[in-house]
């Protein structure tokens, strides 16, 4: 078999594994959520982070990890799968659209709780990025999987370049005091009008008419700002559309993602367009600024905000390291090996066994990162936090 054909078949096989793998995760999460669902239909006002939103943080990271198992063909089914297995292709596309919501959900959670940055927290964020960026580079150098160079080391000392999300999130953290000030002073009407105009430009001018490219499909600080403010509005003001029964929030989430998948299939069968990322309409459909993606992400946030879990320590413990999970597995040297390992498992094991191994891979990476993260937290707490705290106190005192 020619090399190109082999690579293509392996790519199809790798993508086919993601759908049933996701289905192994989804039922327990939904069952646990429904069993703990509150009868209340309004957004609660909590002084502390509760386990229901922290559970959503874990779910969002699992979405992202599953999304990263399949990067070929924009994560969508190939023409071969679409032609030979249309029902399977629909399910495949639907799961991909569900996984896409992970990034938007993470930013919405930040807006739901509000970011209150201090010097200590900003430096801690940078330390977290450098810890995993340099740490993973050191691992691959020590295991002789890559050669050491000062250029690579210099690159890994710049987490805002290594991770696109990290760079955008840092800017969001720095802008948060200004955004919070606006939220606190604006009336509900002023805030609502601003969001309506903002999302008219996001969804109408840029996403639909391509009259601008400032949001870069969601890969930008400006897109994060909009999601942050949207979540702040929902938390503080809400509205009748935020007070639906949780089951309707879940139905909106599933319906929005299903509609995105259906539109992708209409593009292929109805318009004869290949489902490839270089197609303008496909790229628009799988962008983080897609109205359907934003609606689905917000609906899932509303759903989890209305379920009642109480304080569950292990959920909060796992959720506290969710961002570290992203930093570890998405470091660009690790990213390739993460995908290669998934392909190896699929190519060398029978389907039932490969599904179990892939599930173990995703959960194993999450759990291993959580354990490693305890080391990072202790290093920060014992060695760096006291120094940064002293500097912060000195700066505050000098300003006063």
């Amino acid at each position: 078999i020619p090399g190109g054909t082999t690579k293509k078949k392996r790519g199809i096989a790798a993508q086919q594994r993601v759908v049933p793998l996701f289905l192994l995760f989804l039922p327990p999460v939904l069952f646990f959520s429904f069993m703990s669902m509150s009868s209340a239909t309004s957004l609660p006002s909590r002084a502390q982070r509760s386990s229901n939103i922290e559970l959503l943080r874990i779910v969002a990271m699992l979405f992202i990890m599953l999304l990263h198992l399949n990067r070929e063909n924009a994560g969508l089914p190939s023409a071969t799968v679409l032609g030979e297995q249309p029902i399977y292709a629909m399910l495949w596309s639907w799961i991909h659209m569900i996984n896409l919501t992970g990034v938007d959900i993470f930013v919405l959670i930040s807006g739901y709780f509000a970011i209150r940055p201090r010097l200590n927290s900003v430096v801690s964020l940078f330390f977290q990025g450098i810890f995993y960026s340099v740490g993973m580079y050191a691992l691959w150098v020590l295991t002789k999987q890559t050669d050491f160079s000062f250029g690579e080391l210099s690159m890994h000392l710049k987490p805002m370049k290594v991770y696109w999300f990290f760079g955008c999130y840092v800017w969001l953290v720095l802008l948060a005091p200004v955004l919070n000030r606006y939220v606190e002073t604006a009336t509900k009407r002023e805030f609502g009008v601003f969001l309506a105009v903002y999302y008219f430009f996001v969804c109408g001018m840029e996403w639909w008419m391509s009259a601008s490219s400032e949001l870069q499909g969601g890969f930008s600080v400006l897109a994060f700002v909009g999601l942050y403010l949207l979540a702040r509005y929902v938390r503080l003001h809400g509205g009748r559309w935020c007070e639906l029964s949780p089951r309707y929030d879940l139905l909106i989430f599933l319906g929005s993602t299903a509609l995105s998948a259906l539109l992708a299939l209409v593009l292929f069968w109805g318009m004869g367009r290949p489902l490839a990322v270089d197609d303008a309409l496909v790229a628009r459909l799988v962008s983080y600024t897609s109205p359907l993606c934003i609606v689905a992400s917000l609906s899932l946030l509303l759903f989890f905000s209305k379920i009642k879990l109480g304080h569950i320590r292990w959920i909060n413990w796992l959720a506290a390291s969710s961002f570290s999970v992203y930093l570890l597995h998405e470091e660009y040297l690790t990213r390739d090996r993460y995908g290669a390992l998934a392909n190896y498992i699929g190519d060398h094991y029978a389907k039932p066994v490969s599904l179990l191994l892939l599930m173990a891979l995703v959960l194993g990476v999450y759990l291993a990162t959580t354990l490693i993260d305890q080391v990072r937290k202790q290093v920060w707490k014992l060695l760096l936090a006291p120094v940064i705290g002293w500097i912060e106190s000195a700066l505050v005192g000098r300003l006063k």
Side-chain angles (χ1 to χ4, degrees):
I1 302 175
T5 305
T6 303
K7 183 177 181 181
K8 180 178 180 181
K9 289 187 175 181
R10 287 182 178 178
I12 294 173
Q15 293 178 11
Q16 288 177 329
R17 290 191 296 273
V18 177
V19 174
L21 179 62
F22 175 85
L23 295 178
L24 290 174
F25 283 115
L26 187 59
V29 172
L30 295 181
F31 176 77
F32 187 55
S33 301
F34 270 121
M35 291 296 291
S36 307
M37 191 178 298
S38 170
S39 59
T41 58
S42 60
L43 284 177
S45 177
R46 301 180 178 90
Q48 297 180 345
R49 296 189 179 187
S50 55
S51 295
N52 54 350
I53 301 297
E54 296 307 296
L55 177 60
L56 175 59
R57 200 188 300 274
I58 297 172
V59 170
M61 179 49 62
L62 292 177
F63 284 172
I64 292 172
M65 295 179 77
L66 290 171
L67 187 71
H68 290 165
L69 284 176
N70 174 24
R71 299 174 187 269
E72 298 182 22
N73 198 47
L76 294 171
S78 65
T80 302
V81 175
L82 285 161
E84 297 177 357
Q85 305 176 67
I87 296 179
Y88 184 80
M90 175 63 192
L91 181 60
W92 180 337
S93 302
W94 188 17
I95 299 304
H96 179 72
M97 298 305 179
I98 288 175
N99 290 337
L100 271 176
T101 62
V103 171
D104 284 359
I105 288 171
F106 255 94
V107 183
L108 286 170
I109 290 174
S110 295
Y112 184 83
F113 287 121
I115 301 172
R116 307 288 181 183
R118 295 178 55 188
L119 176 63
N120 188 290
S121 61
V122 174
V123 176
S124 175
L125 182 62
F126 271 93
F127 173 69
Q128 185 177 6
I130 293 172
F131 181 89
Y132 286 100
S133 179
V134 174
M136 295 311 297
Y137 176 61
L139 173 66
W140 300 124
V141 169
L142 292 173
T143 56
K144 299 183 179 180
Q145 298 297 310
T146 190
D147 296 326
F148 174 80
S149 73
F150 285 104
E152 278 292 323
L153 178 60
S154 175
M155 178 66 178
H156 282 81
L157 286 168
K158 305 169 184 173
M160 292 180 72
K161 284 192 173 183
V162 176
Y163 309 98
W164 76 266
F165 185 94
F166 186 90
C168 292
Y169 193 77
V170 166
W171 280 109
L172 178 63
V173 170
L174 296 177
L175 290 171
V178 178
L179 300 176
N180 294 338
R181 189 66 174 172
Y182 169 75
V183 169
E184 293 163 1
T185 57
T187 65
K188 179 180 179 179
R189 177 181 174 80
E190 290 170 342
F191 198 176
V193 170
F194 169 79
L195 284 175
V197 173
Y198 175 89
Y199 278 101
F200 168 77
F201 277 88
V202 171
C203 301
M205 299 296 291
E206 180 151 331
W207 185 82
W208 178 252
M209 293 186 286
S210 299
S212 171
S213 59
E214 301 303 320
L215 296 174
Q216 301 175 36
F219 292 84
S220 68
V221 182
L222 186 57
F224 280 26
V225 167
L227 291 170
Y228 181 88
L229 292 175
L230 178 60
R232 293 304 301 140
Y233 182 89
V234 166
R235 183 72 188 275
L236 297 175
H237 303 296
R240 295 183 63 182
W241 58 279
C242 296
E243 298 172 357
L244 300 173
S245 169
R247 65 176 61 89
Y248 292 120
D249 293 323
L250 184 60
L251 286 174
I252 292 172
F253 169 75
L254 296 174
S256 300
T257 51
L259 181 56
S260 292
L262 181 61
L263 290 175
L265 299 183
V266 168
L267 289 178
F268 181 80
W269 280 305
M271 302 177 62
R273 305 179 77 105
L275 296 186
V277 74
D278 56 355
D279 183 279
L281 291 182
V282 174
R284 200 177 303 172
L285 194 60
V286 298
S287 72
Y288 297 127
T289 52
S290 164
L292 291 174
C293 183
I294 295 171
V295 168
S297 302
L298 183 59
S299 297
L300 199 62
L301 174 66
L302 290 169
F303 171 75
F304 273 86
S305 72
K306 297 168 188 174
I307 63 176
K308 187 175 182 180
L309 299 182
H311 180 76
I312 303 177
R313 292 184 61 184
W314 67 268
I315 289 181
N316 290 14
W317 182 70
L318 287 172
S321 297
S322 58
F323 190 52
S324 293
V325 175
Y326 166 79
L327 294 173
L328 184 141
H329 89 276
E330 190 60 7
E331 184 272 324
Y332 59 83
L333 296 176
T334 309
R335 176 197 309 157
D336 295 337
R337 289 161 177 81
Y338 178 74
L341 181 57
N343 288 337
Y344 178 86
I345 290 172
D347 293 339
H348 291 81
Y349 294 92
K351 199 165 190 176
V353 177
S354 68
L355 289 176
L356 292 176
L357 290 175
L358 285 170
M359 182 170 64
L361 171 63
V362 171
L363 295 177
V365 168
Y366 198 116
L367 291 174
T369 306
T370 303
L371 295 176
I372 294 170
D373 209 38
Q374 307 315 303
V375 177
R376 175 191 66 83
K377 290 178 180 179
Q378 288 302 311
V379 171
W380 171 258
K381 179 180 178 181
L382 298 177
L383 300 180
L384 299 177
V387 176
I388 300 301
W390 178 82
I391 294 174
E392 184 177 19
S393 299
L395 288 174
V396 171
R398 176 74 69 172
L399 290 173
K400 287 183 177 178

